[in-house]
Each structure stands twice: as structure tokens, then as C-alpha cells.
Amino acid sequence: MIHYQKILELHDEGISLRGIAASTGNSRQKVTEVIRLAEKKGLVCPLDEEMTDQWIEDFLFPEKTLEGSGRQPLNFDYIHEELAKPNVTLSLLHHEYEAECRANQKIPYSYRSFLRHYSRYADKYKATLRIRRKPGEIMEVDWAGSTSFIIDRDTGEKVKAYVFVATLPCSQLSYAEATLSMDLHSWITAHNHAYKYFGGTTQIIVPDNLKASVTKHTTRELVLNPTYKEMAEYYNTVVMPARVRTPKDKASVEGSVNVVSTWIIAALRNAHCFSIDELNEEVSKKLAEFNERPFTRKKGCRLSAFEEEEKFALSPLPSTPYKMSEWKTAKVRPDYHISVDSMFYSVPYEYINRQVDVKLSDDLVEVYFNHMRVASHKRLYGKFGQLSTVRDHMPENHKLFVDQTPEAAFEWAENIGVSTLTVIKYILDTSQTEKLALQSIFSLKKSERRYTKYEIERACKMVISMTRRPTVKSIQTILKSNKKNDAEQEMKRKTETSENNFGFTRGAHYYGGTDK
């Protein structure tokens, strides 16, 4: 009989291999093998009462119990390590095990026996059992059914606080946080904090069918809340809500919610916190106690199980946490603006009367049509009714009006002529407001569509010669009059040319006739 317990205890006391072999009656080779395997599998002194020689033998040499059957022994450590890898299942490992047995002309265990032996091994010696849940695969989230509270400093009234719970089913490590609301902002913020606590992201999130996560969930259709879906994409994960009225779809978090309700919420029933931050400090302390509490039937705790067997499988976090965005719908007004929280943002005028999706973040407003972004603005705060207008969103005629500035007016007038520049300077200098002056100049600039630069300059010159107070209206009147006079003069010239346009006429004598 090999005295496993004594070998490990003597080794822990610093006795040499030769001394241990002499004391236990076992060979130095066997003593070395036992010590090497114990160090590899993390079996160190002091040993628990249940760790008898038989227990240690089963732990260090699990294949010995299977050798008597005459079948190919199972390498449980290899199976446990391989199951942590993506898409690896016990069915695949059993198939590979059978192929190895056929190659070595050994008798394999059936799939059912394969499962039974691995389950027994993992349940007894490992903190996690990976038959149903892979490390880093799923994070289950929910609100606890019970509520905590904080105390209003002014009134002494108890204010409800809702507890968010996230659990990793493989290691059973949990995260909890108290919030004053169960709205979308609190839901997303709690997810950010949970991922930070775990130090990575999972492949899948399994929430309940809350409005903050799911808009519609039927057997035929699943519609996620746009903000929640965007958050999942940011963290490169997938949302797979539990089926309606199917708590087994997220059994881990359901169990954790009950335990958290006892070990955190109930444990803080007599605590007096006056802010949500104070409450969360107490929740954090109780959460640490909860995750470090030893398992009842196996060694380790939730935190050690996570550190040893699940943390490595989490995907790395982005450099910055997800920034909360809110989605709304809006209709583009006739002035090609949308209204968001009593502020107005422009979109291309082609989308007038169309329904658009609006994504709101703390500092940005983005407008989408058919999943394509058509406009973005810096978010406005402060006085209601502010406008954010992009010039490229305007029709051409509106661009002309918006482009009116004193500098642009002077530049245009200089391009026309000296008299036009004199008129523009007079209008800007004498008008009551700059806006009214620019409106008058804009109407004059529109005359360029019907009249040439020469005609405008001539009209301005005539106005200056007639009065010291030229107006745009008088210039437009002269333009029309000049146009009419020029047209009449042209018609008269053509008529006179037509009347004087005759040739030489030969007489009858030229053709042999006689003139009378």
C-alpha cells in the first residue's frame, strides 16, 4: 500500500526523498512520481480530512480505477482542457478517443460511460463542470426580484434600489450592482461595469425579455432594442434572450439571483446608506465575500474557479467602454430639419417628409435613413429651439440666401462695377440692420439671372446720377425700363433696315420693250 498522505506531509516538512522512501517503505521512484503529480495538480499541504490515501490515489491516478475493466483508460486532464476550447464537445472527444482505441487495438468505453466517468471526475476534482457550459461562452444577466433601498437625507424616506446581477455559468462568478432605476441607461451602464469586473467579454449574453433588451420576441421573430444590440456589437458578442416563460434558459443567473438576494440584499437589510454610491460600496464588499465563499462539495470558490478555469477564455475588452446611445424616430420637417429634445438638426432636403432614425449620444446626433447615415451633428444643449444647420443640406436657392454676408456682397459688387459697389456701400451704411440690408442686396443679386453685368452696372450708374439715395427697387425699375427701351430700339432698327433694303429695277427698254 502506498502511503500518499504521509509522503506529501513529509515532503512538506522538508524531508529528503531518501528519508521519505525509508519512512514509508515506498521506492524513491514512486515517491518522486507522487510528489511530481501532486505539485502539477495543485495538491498541497495541509490536507483536508476527506483527503485519505484512497482519495489522493483517485485524484492523482484516476485511470487506475478504470484499468480493471480492460478498456482504454481516459485522460481526464486532457479531456477537461480540450473542452475549454471553442466548439469542442464531449461527443467529438469521445469520437477521437474511439479512433485512438481502434488504432491501438484497445476496447473503448461507450459514450454513456465516457460521460459518466468524466462527470464524476470533474464534479469531484474540478471547480467547474464543462459538460453544459464552456468557459467564457455565456454571461447571463437579470434584475433581482428583491429590492434594496437608500435613505433620503431630507425626508428620511426609503427609496427603492434595484439590483442588477450578471453570472458566468461555467465558474458561477457573479457581479451585482444597485441602481435607482431599471431603465435602458442603467441596464447598459451595469453591463459596462460587469464586463470591467470580469476583465473581459463573453461570446453570448443571455438576458430576460425586458423592454431594455428586447422589443419583440416570438417564435418567428426577435427584435432587439437598438441600443442594446449596438452595445453587443461594440463588445463583439451576441444577444440570445431566454425564451418567454422558460427560466431554465438562464438557470445560472436565476440561481445566483436567489443567492444574491440572500447574501447581499438581505445581508444589507439593516444598513443605512444615503446615496447609491454608498450602497454600491456595501454591495461590493458583500459581493467579494460571496464570490470568495468556499464551495460546499468541492474545493475552491467562485473566484478561484474563474481565475483558474475561465478568465483565460474571455475576449479582451475594447480600449474604452461602450458609450450609451439612445435611438429615436423623427419626421423631417418642410424646413429639412428634425426636432430632437426641442433642438433642431438639418438633414439633406431630399428627405423632407421622410421618417428617419436618430441615434443620440452625449455629444453627437446621427441621422439614419434605411440604415444609412445621412447626417451628423454635435449635440446641442441649453436654450430650447437652437438650430444646427449644414450648408450642404440646403436647396440651391437657400444656399444663396445663407451665403449673404457683407464681405460676399462687396466681392460681388466689385465684380460688377464701380457704380454697383457705390450702391452696395450706401445700402449697408444707411440700413437700420445688417440683415435688412443683406436681404435687399440679395434681391438685387438675383437680378443677375435676367440681366447682364453691363445692364446692372448701367442701371446703378443711372440711379446715382438721379438721386443721392439709391434703392434696390429704383434700380430694378430702371433695369426693366432699360430692357424695354432696348427692345423697342432694336425693333425700330430692324424695321428701318427692312424698309431701306431695296435693289436696282431695270426698265422695259432693257428687255426690248418701250417705256410709256
Side-chain angles (χ1 to χ4, degrees), residues 76-109:
F76 292 116
D77 288 332
Y78 170 78
I79 294 171
H80 196 71
E81 290 174 4
E82 290 299 304
L83 273 178
K85 297 177 180 178
N87 303 318
V88 177
T89 63
L90 282 171
S91 177
L92 172 63
L93 293 174
H94 179 260
H95 175 75
E96 294 174 350
Y97 162 76
E98 280 188 324
E100 183 184 356
C101 289
R102 284 194 296 269
N104 297 330
Q105 297 182 347
K106 300 284 186 178
I107 303 173
Y109 282 97

PDB file of all heavy atoms in Angstrom, residues 76-109:
ATOM      1  N   PHE A  76      -8.352  12.242 -18.133  1.00  0.00           N
ATOM      2  CA  PHE A  76      -9.342  13.232 -17.725  1.00  0.00           C
ATOM      3  C   PHE A  76      -8.811  14.661 -17.818  1.00  0.00           C
ATOM      4  O   PHE A  76      -9.548  15.582 -18.185  1.00  0.00           O
ATOM      5  CB  PHE A  76      -9.803  12.946 -16.294  1.00  0.00           C
ATOM      6  CG  PHE A  76     -10.602  11.675 -16.180  1.00  0.00           C
ATOM      7  CD1 PHE A  76     -10.136  10.600 -15.443  1.00  0.00           C
ATOM      8  CD2 PHE A  76     -11.824  11.562 -16.814  1.00  0.00           C
ATOM      9  CE1 PHE A  76     -10.874   9.442 -15.341  1.00  0.00           C
ATOM     10  CE2 PHE A  76     -12.579  10.397 -16.721  1.00  0.00           C
ATOM     11  CZ  PHE A  76     -12.101   9.331 -15.978  1.00  0.00           C
ATOM     12  N   ASP A  77      -7.550  14.873 -17.469  1.00  0.00           N
ATOM     13  CA  ASP A  77      -6.998  16.228 -17.560  1.00  0.00           C
ATOM     14  C   ASP A  77      -7.024  16.744 -18.993  1.00  0.00           C
ATOM     15  O   ASP A  77      -7.352  17.904 -19.255  1.00  0.00           O
ATOM     16  CB  ASP A  77      -5.559  16.249 -17.034  1.00  0.00           C
ATOM     17  CG  ASP A  77      -5.505  16.106 -15.520  1.00  0.00           C
ATOM     18  OD1 ASP A  77      -6.485  16.508 -14.877  1.00  0.00           O
ATOM     19  OD2 ASP A  77      -4.504  15.585 -15.003  1.00  0.00           O
ATOM     20  N   TYR A  78      -6.688  15.865 -19.939  1.00  0.00           N
ATOM     21  CA  TYR A  78      -6.708  16.239 -21.355  1.00  0.00           C
ATOM     22  C   TYR A  78      -8.136  16.583 -21.779  1.00  0.00           C
ATOM     23  O   TYR A  78      -8.374  17.591 -22.467  1.00  0.00           O
ATOM     24  CB  TYR A  78      -6.164  15.098 -22.202  1.00  0.00           C
ATOM     25  CG  TYR A  78      -6.364  15.283 -23.682  1.00  0.00           C
ATOM     26  CD1 TYR A  78      -5.542  16.134 -24.419  1.00  0.00           C
ATOM     27  CD2 TYR A  78      -7.400  14.621 -24.359  1.00  0.00           C
ATOM     28  CE1 TYR A  78      -5.741  16.328 -25.773  1.00  0.00           C
ATOM     29  CE2 TYR A  78      -7.600  14.806 -25.708  1.00  0.00           C
ATOM     30  CZ  TYR A  78      -6.771  15.659 -26.423  1.00  0.00           C
ATOM     31  OH  TYR A  78      -6.976  15.839 -27.766  1.00  0.00           O
ATOM     32  N   ILE A  79      -9.099  15.748 -21.357  1.00  0.00           N
ATOM     33  CA  ILE A  79     -10.499  15.987 -21.729  1.00  0.00           C
ATOM     34  C   ILE A  79     -10.964  17.336 -21.184  1.00  0.00           C
ATOM     35  O   ILE A  79     -11.608  18.129 -21.886  1.00  0.00           O
ATOM     36  CB  ILE A  79     -11.396  14.854 -21.190  1.00  0.00           C
ATOM     37  CG1 ILE A  79     -11.045  13.529 -21.888  1.00  0.00           C
ATOM     38  CG2 ILE A  79     -12.873  15.179 -21.392  1.00  0.00           C
ATOM     39  CD1 ILE A  79     -11.719  12.317 -21.276  1.00  0.00           C
ATOM     40  N   HIS A  80     -10.629  17.633 -19.928  1.00  0.00           N
ATOM     41  CA  HIS A  80     -11.061  18.874 -19.298  1.00  0.00           C
ATOM     42  C   HIS A  80     -10.447  20.094 -19.985  1.00  0.00           C
ATOM     43  O   HIS A  80     -11.121  21.109 -20.198  1.00  0.00           O
ATOM     44  CB  HIS A  80     -10.669  18.863 -17.816  1.00  0.00           C
ATOM     45  CG  HIS A  80     -11.392  19.904 -17.007  1.00  0.00           C
ATOM     46  ND1 HIS A  80     -12.734  19.809 -16.708  1.00  0.00           N
ATOM     47  CD2 HIS A  80     -10.958  21.066 -16.449  1.00  0.00           C
ATOM     48  CE1 HIS A  80     -13.092  20.856 -15.989  1.00  0.00           C
ATOM     49  NE2 HIS A  80     -12.029  21.637 -15.817  1.00  0.00           N
ATOM     50  N   GLU A  81      -9.191  19.995 -20.369  1.00  0.00           N
ATOM     51  CA  GLU A  81      -8.526  21.105 -21.055  1.00  0.00           C
ATOM     52  C   GLU A  81      -9.097  21.324 -22.452  1.00  0.00           C
ATOM     53  O   GLU A  81      -9.298  22.459 -22.891  1.00  0.00           O
ATOM     54  CB  GLU A  81      -7.021  20.833 -21.147  1.00  0.00           C
ATOM     55  CG  GLU A  81      -6.303  20.923 -19.803  1.00  0.00           C
ATOM     56  CD  GLU A  81      -4.852  20.500 -19.904  1.00  0.00           C
ATOM     57  OE1 GLU A  81      -4.410  20.224 -21.046  1.00  0.00           O
ATOM     58  OE2 GLU A  81      -4.165  20.439 -18.873  1.00  0.00           O
ATOM     59  N   GLU A  82      -9.352  20.220 -23.156  1.00  0.00           N
ATOM     60  CA  GLU A  82      -9.870  20.346 -24.526  1.00  0.00           C
ATOM     61  C   GLU A  82     -11.282  20.912 -24.550  1.00  0.00           C
ATOM     62  O   GLU A  82     -11.648  21.643 -25.465  1.00  0.00           O
ATOM     63  CB  GLU A  82      -9.849  18.975 -25.221  1.00  0.00           C
ATOM     64  CG  GLU A  82      -8.464  18.470 -25.533  1.00  0.00           C
ATOM     65  CD  GLU A  82      -7.717  19.400 -26.478  1.00  0.00           C
ATOM     66  OE1 GLU A  82      -8.247  19.665 -27.571  1.00  0.00           O
ATOM     67  OE2 GLU A  82      -6.623  19.873 -26.120  1.00  0.00           O
ATOM     68  N   LEU A  83     -12.083  20.596 -23.540  1.00  0.00           N
ATOM     69  CA  LEU A  83     -13.459  21.094 -23.503  1.00  0.00           C
ATOM     70  C   LEU A  83     -13.522  22.608 -23.380  1.00  0.00           C
ATOM     71  O   LEU A  83     -14.531  23.223 -23.695  1.00  0.00           O
ATOM     72  CB  LEU A  83     -14.214  20.459 -22.328  1.00  0.00           C
ATOM     73  CG  LEU A  83     -14.890  19.119 -22.600  1.00  0.00           C
ATOM     74  CD1 LEU A  83     -15.546  18.602 -21.347  1.00  0.00           C
ATOM     75  CD2 LEU A  83     -15.907  19.231 -23.724  1.00  0.00           C
ATOM     76  N   ALA A  84     -12.448  23.231 -22.889  1.00  0.00           N
ATOM     77  CA  ALA A  84     -12.416  24.687 -22.755  1.00  0.00           C
ATOM     78  C   ALA A  84     -12.278  25.379 -24.101  1.00  0.00           C
ATOM     79  O   ALA A  84     -12.541  26.580 -24.215  1.00  0.00           O
ATOM     80  CB  ALA A  84     -11.267  25.100 -21.845  1.00  0.00           C
ATOM     81  N   LYS A  85     -11.877  24.647 -25.133  1.00  0.00           N
ATOM     82  CA  LYS A  85     -11.644  25.256 -26.440  1.00  0.00           C
ATOM     83  C   LYS A  85     -12.959  25.429 -27.195  1.00  0.00           C
ATOM     84  O   LYS A  85     -13.890  24.646 -27.024  1.00  0.00           O
ATOM     85  CB  LYS A  85     -10.670  24.394 -27.251  1.00  0.00           C
ATOM     86  CG  LYS A  85      -9.290  24.283 -26.600  1.00  0.00           C
ATOM     87  CD  LYS A  85      -8.371  23.371 -27.382  1.00  0.00           C
ATOM     88  CE  LYS A  85      -6.993  23.275 -26.701  1.00  0.00           C
ATOM     89  NZ  LYS A  85      -6.083  22.367 -27.412  1.00  0.00           N
ATOM     90  N   PRO A  86     -13.051  26.460 -28.045  1.00  0.00           N
ATOM     91  CA  PRO A  86     -14.295  26.724 -28.781  1.00  0.00           C
ATOM     92  C   PRO A  86     -14.727  25.539 -29.637  1.00  0.00           C
ATOM     93  O   PRO A  86     -13.898  24.889 -30.282  1.00  0.00           O
ATOM     94  CB  PRO A  86     -13.941  27.933 -29.657  1.00  0.00           C
ATOM     95  CG  PRO A  86     -12.784  28.572 -28.969  1.00  0.00           C
ATOM     96  CD  PRO A  86     -12.015  27.464 -28.319  1.00  0.00           C
ATOM     97  N   ASN A  87     -16.019  25.251 -29.596  1.00  0.00           N
ATOM     98  CA  ASN A  87     -16.676  24.251 -30.453  1.00  0.00           C
ATOM     99  C   ASN A  87     -16.277  22.806 -30.144  1.00  0.00           C
ATOM    100  O   ASN A  87     -16.700  21.892 -30.849  1.00  0.00           O
ATOM    101  CB  ASN A  87     -16.402  24.532 -31.942  1.00  0.00           C
ATOM    102  CG  ASN A  87     -16.845  25.916 -32.357  1.00  0.00           C
ATOM    103  OD1 ASN A  87     -17.917  26.369 -31.951  1.00  0.00           O
ATOM    104  ND2 ASN A  87     -16.019  26.607 -33.129  1.00  0.00           N
ATOM    105  N   VAL A  88     -15.457  22.577 -29.124  1.00  0.00           N
ATOM    106  CA  VAL A  88     -15.094  21.213 -28.750  1.00  0.00           C
ATOM    107  C   VAL A  88     -16.165  20.664 -27.820  1.00  0.00           C
ATOM    108  O   VAL A  88     -16.525  21.296 -26.825  1.00  0.00           O
ATOM    109  CB  VAL A  88     -13.713  21.160 -28.055  1.00  0.00           C
ATOM    110  CG1 VAL A  88     -13.389  19.743 -27.618  1.00  0.00           C
ATOM    111  CG2 VAL A  88     -12.635  21.680 -28.999  1.00  0.00           C
ATOM    112  N   THR A  89     -16.678  19.466 -28.132  1.00  0.00           N
ATOM    113  CA  THR A  89     -17.724  18.849 -27.320  1.00  0.00           C
ATOM    114  C   THR A  89     -17.268  17.476 -26.846  1.00  0.00           C
ATOM    115  O   THR A  89     -16.302  16.894 -27.381  1.00  0.00           O
ATOM    116  CB  THR A  89     -19.016  18.685 -28.136  1.00  0.00           C
ATOM    117  OG1 THR A  89     -18.769  17.800 -29.243  1.00  0.00           O
ATOM    118  CG2 THR A  89     -19.494  20.046 -28.669  1.00  0.00           C
ATOM    119  N   LEU A  90     -17.979  16.934 -25.862  1.00  0.00           N
ATOM    120  CA  LEU A  90     -17.669  15.586 -25.384  1.00  0.00           C
ATOM    121  C   LEU A  90     -17.921  14.549 -26.476  1.00  0.00           C
ATOM    122  O   LEU A  90     -17.239  13.526 -26.541  1.00  0.00           O
ATOM    123  CB  LEU A  90     -18.510  15.272 -24.145  1.00  0.00           C
ATOM    124  CG  LEU A  90     -18.009  15.906 -22.847  1.00  0.00           C
ATOM    125  CD1 LEU A  90     -19.026  15.717 -21.742  1.00  0.00           C
ATOM    126  CD2 LEU A  90     -16.676  15.304 -22.429  1.00  0.00           C
ATOM    127  N   SER A  91     -18.879  14.813 -27.337  1.00  0.00           N
ATOM    128  CA  SER A  91     -19.156  13.894 -28.437  1.00  0.00           C
ATOM    129  C   SER A  91     -17.946  13.801 -29.372  1.00  0.00           C
ATOM    130  O   SER A  91     -17.552  12.703 -29.792  1.00  0.00           O
ATOM    131  CB  SER A  91     -20.385  14.375 -29.216  1.00  0.00           C
ATOM    132  OG  SER A  91     -20.635  13.537 -30.316  1.00  0.00           O
ATOM    133  N   LEU A  92     -17.330  14.956 -29.686  1.00  0.00           N
ATOM    134  CA  LEU A  92     -16.145  14.964 -30.542  1.00  0.00           C
ATOM    135  C   LEU A  92     -14.977  14.267 -29.853  1.00  0.00           C
ATOM    136  O   LEU A  92     -14.265  13.459 -30.468  1.00  0.00           O
ATOM    137  CB  LEU A  92     -15.766  16.408 -30.879  1.00  0.00           C
ATOM    138  CG  LEU A  92     -14.437  16.616 -31.614  1.00  0.00           C
ATOM    139  CD1 LEU A  92     -14.479  15.941 -32.987  1.00  0.00           C
ATOM    140  CD2 LEU A  92     -14.105  18.098 -31.736  1.00  0.00           C
ATOM    141  N   LEU A  93     -14.769  14.537 -28.565  1.00  0.00           N
ATOM    142  CA  LEU A  93     -13.657  13.917 -27.840  1.00  0.00           C
ATOM    143  C   LEU A  93     -13.831  12.412 -27.720  1.00  0.00           C
ATOM    144  O   LEU A  93     -12.861  11.661 -27.794  1.00  0.00           O
ATOM    145  CB  LEU A  93     -13.539  14.547 -26.444  1.00  0.00           C
ATOM    146  CG  LEU A  93     -13.112  16.028 -26.422  1.00  0.00           C
ATOM    147  CD1 LEU A  93     -13.173  16.572 -25.004  1.00  0.00           C
ATOM    148  CD2 LEU A  93     -11.709  16.191 -26.991  1.00  0.00           C
ATOM    149  N   HIS A  94     -15.084  11.964 -27.562  1.00  0.00           N
ATOM    150  CA  HIS A  94     -15.319  10.515 -27.499  1.00  0.00           C
ATOM    151  C   HIS A  94     -15.038   9.864 -28.846  1.00  0.00           C
ATOM    152  O   HIS A  94     -14.481   8.763 -28.928  1.00  0.00           O
ATOM    153  CB  HIS A  94     -16.764  10.235 -27.062  1.00  0.00           C
ATOM    154  CG  HIS A  94     -17.088   8.780 -26.995  1.00  0.00           C
ATOM    155  ND1 HIS A  94     -17.778   8.114 -27.992  1.00  0.00           N
ATOM    156  CD2 HIS A  94     -16.767   7.827 -26.071  1.00  0.00           C
ATOM    157  CE1 HIS A  94     -17.895   6.840 -27.675  1.00  0.00           C
ATOM    158  NE2 HIS A  94     -17.295   6.634 -26.506  1.00  0.00           N
ATOM    159  N   HIS A  95     -15.409  10.568 -29.936  1.00  0.00           N
ATOM    160  CA  HIS A  95     -15.136  10.040 -31.277  1.00  0.00           C
ATOM    161  C   HIS A  95     -13.623   9.899 -31.496  1.00  0.00           C
ATOM    162  O   HIS A  95     -13.158   8.872 -32.023  1.00  0.00           O
ATOM    163  CB  HIS A  95     -15.734  10.985 -32.327  1.00  0.00           C
ATOM    164  CG  HIS A  95     -15.407  10.612 -33.739  1.00  0.00           C
ATOM    165  ND1 HIS A  95     -16.003   9.557 -34.399  1.00  0.00           N
ATOM    166  CD2 HIS A  95     -14.505  11.153 -34.617  1.00  0.00           C
ATOM    167  CE1 HIS A  95     -15.496   9.455 -35.617  1.00  0.00           C
ATOM    168  NE2 HIS A  95     -14.589  10.417 -35.778  1.00  0.00           N
ATOM    169  N   GLU A  96     -12.853  10.906 -31.081  1.00  0.00           N
ATOM    170  CA  GLU A  96     -11.397  10.832 -31.212  1.00  0.00           C
ATOM    171  C   GLU A  96     -10.816   9.740 -30.316  1.00  0.00           C
ATOM    172  O   GLU A  96      -9.859   9.046 -30.701  1.00  0.00           O
ATOM    173  CB  GLU A  96     -10.787  12.185 -30.856  1.00  0.00           C
ATOM    174  CG  GLU A  96     -11.162  13.294 -31.836  1.00  0.00           C
ATOM    175  CD  GLU A  96     -10.672  14.659 -31.413  1.00  0.00           C
ATOM    176  OE1 GLU A  96     -10.205  14.791 -30.262  1.00  0.00           O
ATOM    177  OE2 GLU A  96     -10.744  15.596 -32.223  1.00  0.00           O
ATOM    178  N   TYR A  97     -11.402   9.571 -29.125  1.00  0.00           N
ATOM    179  CA  TYR A  97     -10.964   8.519 -28.203  1.00  0.00           C
ATOM    180  C   TYR A  97     -11.196   7.135 -28.823  1.00  0.00           C
ATOM    181  O   TYR A  97     -10.340   6.245 -28.759  1.00  0.00           O
ATOM    182  CB  TYR A  97     -11.720   8.681 -26.883  1.00  0.00           C
ATOM    183  CG  TYR A  97     -11.720   7.477 -25.983  1.00  0.00           C
ATOM    184  CD1 TYR A  97     -10.597   7.126 -25.240  1.00  0.00           C
ATOM    185  CD2 TYR A  97     -12.862   6.684 -25.857  1.00  0.00           C
ATOM    186  CE1 TYR A  97     -10.599   6.021 -24.397  1.00  0.00           C
ATOM    187  CE2 TYR A  97     -12.885   5.588 -25.025  1.00  0.00           C
ATOM    188  CZ  TYR A  97     -11.747   5.256 -24.303  1.00  0.00           C
ATOM    189  OH  TYR A  97     -11.762   4.155 -23.477  1.00  0.00           O
ATOM    190  N   GLU A  98     -12.347   6.947 -29.451  1.00  0.00           N
ATOM    191  CA  GLU A  98     -12.655   5.660 -30.101  1.00  0.00           C
ATOM    192  C   GLU A  98     -11.672   5.390 -31.243  1.00  0.00           C
ATOM    193  O   GLU A  98     -11.199   4.254 -31.414  1.00  0.00           O
ATOM    194  CB  GLU A  98     -14.081   5.674 -30.644  1.00  0.00           C
ATOM    195  CG  GLU A  98     -15.147   5.408 -29.605  1.00  0.00           C
ATOM    196  CD  GLU A  98     -16.513   5.254 -30.244  1.00  0.00           C
ATOM    197  OE1 GLU A  98     -16.785   5.965 -31.249  1.00  0.00           O
ATOM    198  OE2 GLU A  98     -17.303   4.423 -29.772  1.00  0.00           O
ATOM    199  N   ALA A  99     -11.357   6.436 -32.024  1.00  0.00           N
ATOM    200  CA  ALA A  99     -10.417   6.258 -33.142  1.00  0.00           C
ATOM    201  C   ALA A  99      -9.034   5.869 -32.621  1.00  0.00           C
ATOM    202  O   ALA A  99      -8.350   5.001 -33.207  1.00  0.00           O
ATOM    203  CB  ALA A  99     -10.338   7.567 -33.943  1.00  0.00           C
ATOM    204  N   GLU A 100      -8.611   6.454 -31.507  1.00  0.00           N
ATOM    205  CA  GLU A 100      -7.324   6.115 -30.907  1.00  0.00           C
ATOM    206  C   GLU A 100      -7.315   4.665 -30.403  1.00  0.00           C
ATOM    207  O   GLU A 100      -6.316   3.947 -30.555  1.00  0.00           O
ATOM    208  CB  GLU A 100      -7.034   7.079 -29.751  1.00  0.00           C
ATOM    209  CG  GLU A 100      -5.685   6.853 -29.096  1.00  0.00           C
ATOM    210  CD  GLU A 100      -5.466   7.768 -27.895  1.00  0.00           C
ATOM    211  OE1 GLU A 100      -6.333   8.619 -27.624  1.00  0.00           O
ATOM    212  OE2 GLU A 100      -4.430   7.600 -27.214  1.00  0.00           O
ATOM    213  N   CYS A 101      -8.427   4.247 -29.823  1.00  0.00           N
ATOM    214  CA  CYS A 101      -8.533   2.857 -29.336  1.00  0.00           C
ATOM    215  C   CYS A 101      -8.442   1.861 -30.484  1.00  0.00           C
ATOM    216  O   CYS A 101      -7.775   0.816 -30.376  1.00  0.00           O
ATOM    217  CB  CYS A 101      -9.848   2.664 -28.576  1.00  0.00           C
ATOM    218  SG  CYS A 101      -9.900   3.503 -26.988  1.00  0.00           S
ATOM    219  N   ARG A 102      -9.106   2.161 -31.589  1.00  0.00           N
ATOM    220  CA  ARG A 102      -9.053   1.251 -32.741  1.00  0.00           C
ATOM    221  C   ARG A 102      -7.631   1.175 -33.287  1.00  0.00           C
ATOM    222  O   ARG A 102      -7.160   0.096 -33.677  1.00  0.00           O
ATOM    223  CB  ARG A 102     -10.016   1.742 -33.828  1.00  0.00           C
ATOM    224  CG  ARG A 102     -11.477   1.459 -33.528  1.00  0.00           C
ATOM    225  CD  ARG A 102     -12.332   1.647 -34.755  1.00  0.00           C
ATOM    226  NE  ARG A 102     -12.323   3.043 -35.219  1.00  0.00           N
ATOM    227  CZ  ARG A 102     -13.192   3.952 -34.829  1.00  0.00           C
ATOM    228  NH1 ARG A 102     -14.138   3.634 -33.960  1.00  0.00           N
ATOM    229  NH2 ARG A 102     -13.125   5.180 -35.299  1.00  0.00           N
ATOM    230  N   ALA A 103      -6.937   2.322 -33.280  1.00  0.00           N
ATOM    231  CA  ALA A 103      -5.559   2.329 -33.790  1.00  0.00           C
ATOM    232  C   ALA A 103      -4.632   1.512 -32.894  1.00  0.00           C
ATOM    233  O   ALA A 103      -3.687   0.869 -33.375  1.00  0.00           O
ATOM    234  CB  ALA A 103      -5.067   3.775 -33.909  1.00  0.00           C
ATOM    235  N   ASN A 104      -4.903   1.537 -31.579  1.00  0.00           N
ATOM    236  CA  ASN A 104      -4.051   0.806 -30.615  1.00  0.00           C
ATOM    237  C   ASN A 104      -4.600  -0.568 -30.256  1.00  0.00           C
ATOM    238  O   ASN A 104      -4.078  -1.227 -29.352  1.00  0.00           O
ATOM    239  CB  ASN A 104      -3.889   1.642 -29.337  1.00  0.00           C
ATOM    240  CG  ASN A 104      -3.179   2.950 -29.591  1.00  0.00           C
ATOM    241  OD1 ASN A 104      -2.353   3.047 -30.495  1.00  0.00           O
ATOM    242  ND2 ASN A 104      -3.512   3.976 -28.819  1.00  0.00           N
ATOM    243  N   GLN A 105      -5.711  -0.946 -30.954  1.00  0.00           N
ATOM    244  CA  GLN A 105      -6.354  -2.242 -30.710  1.00  0.00           C
ATOM    245  C   GLN A 105      -6.760  -2.387 -29.247  1.00  0.00           C
ATOM    246  O   GLN A 105      -6.526  -3.399 -28.599  1.00  0.00           O
ATOM    247  CB  GLN A 105      -5.433  -3.395 -31.139  1.00  0.00           C
ATOM    248  CG  GLN A 105      -5.132  -3.396 -32.623  1.00  0.00           C
ATOM    249  CD  GLN A 105      -4.272  -4.561 -33.050  1.00  0.00           C
ATOM    250  OE1 GLN A 105      -3.691  -5.268 -32.223  1.00  0.00           O
ATOM    251  NE2 GLN A 105      -4.202  -4.798 -34.347  1.00  0.00           N
ATOM    252  N   LYS A 106      -7.391  -1.325 -28.721  1.00  0.00           N
ATOM    253  CA  LYS A 106      -7.911  -1.317 -27.357  1.00  0.00           C
ATOM    254  C   LYS A 106      -9.431  -1.244 -27.396  1.00  0.00           C
ATOM    255  O   LYS A 106     -10.026  -0.851 -28.396  1.00  0.00           O
ATOM    256  CB  LYS A 106      -7.365  -0.105 -26.585  1.00  0.00           C
ATOM    257  CG  LYS A 106      -5.834  -0.069 -26.461  1.00  0.00           C
ATOM    258  CD  LYS A 106      -5.365  -1.061 -25.424  1.00  0.00           C
ATOM    259  CE  LYS A 106      -3.856  -0.931 -25.199  1.00  0.00           C
ATOM    260  NZ  LYS A 106      -3.363  -1.845 -24.153  1.00  0.00           N
ATOM    261  N   ILE A 107     -10.053  -1.621 -26.264  1.00  0.00           N
ATOM    262  CA  ILE A 107     -11.509  -1.579 -26.169  1.00  0.00           C
ATOM    263  C   ILE A 107     -11.914  -0.223 -25.595  1.00  0.00           C
ATOM    264  O   ILE A 107     -11.499   0.129 -24.494  1.00  0.00           O
ATOM    265  CB  ILE A 107     -12.044  -2.710 -25.262  1.00  0.00           C
ATOM    266  CG1 ILE A 107     -11.587  -4.059 -25.785  1.00  0.00           C
ATOM    267  CG2 ILE A 107     -13.572  -2.635 -25.169  1.00  0.00           C
ATOM    268  CD1 ILE A 107     -11.937  -5.206 -24.865  1.00  0.00           C
ATOM    269  N   PRO A 108     -12.723   0.570 -26.300  1.00  0.00           N
ATOM    270  CA  PRO A 108     -13.111   1.897 -25.792  1.00  0.00           C
ATOM    271  C   PRO A 108     -14.346   1.818 -24.891  1.00  0.00           C
ATOM    272  O   PRO A 108     -15.109   0.855 -24.934  1.00  0.00           O
ATOM    273  CB  PRO A 108     -13.447   2.663 -27.068  1.00  0.00           C
ATOM    274  CG  PRO A 108     -13.975   1.611 -27.996  1.00  0.00           C
ATOM    275  CD  PRO A 108     -13.220   0.340 -27.679  1.00  0.00           C
ATOM    276  N   TYR A 109     -14.523   2.845 -24.085  1.00  0.00           N
ATOM    277  CA  TYR A 109     -15.757   2.993 -23.317  1.00  0.00           C
ATOM    278  C   TYR A 109     -16.859   3.513 -24.232  1.00  0.00           C
ATOM    279  O   TYR A 109     -16.600   4.250 -25.196  1.00  0.00           O
ATOM    280  CB  TYR A 109     -15.562   3.980 -22.169  1.00  0.00           C
ATOM    281  CG  TYR A 109     -14.838   3.408 -20.974  1.00  0.00           C
ATOM    282  CD1 TYR A 109     -13.478   3.604 -20.811  1.00  0.00           C
ATOM    283  CD2 TYR A 109     -15.523   2.675 -20.017  1.00  0.00           C
ATOM    284  CE1 TYR A 109     -12.805   3.088 -19.725  1.00  0.00           C
ATOM    285  CE2 TYR A 109     -14.855   2.148 -18.919  1.00  0.00           C
ATOM    286  CZ  TYR A 109     -13.497   2.348 -18.782  1.00  0.00           C
ATOM    287  OH  TYR A 109     -12.844   1.824 -17.709  1.00  0.00           O
TER     288      TYR A 109
END
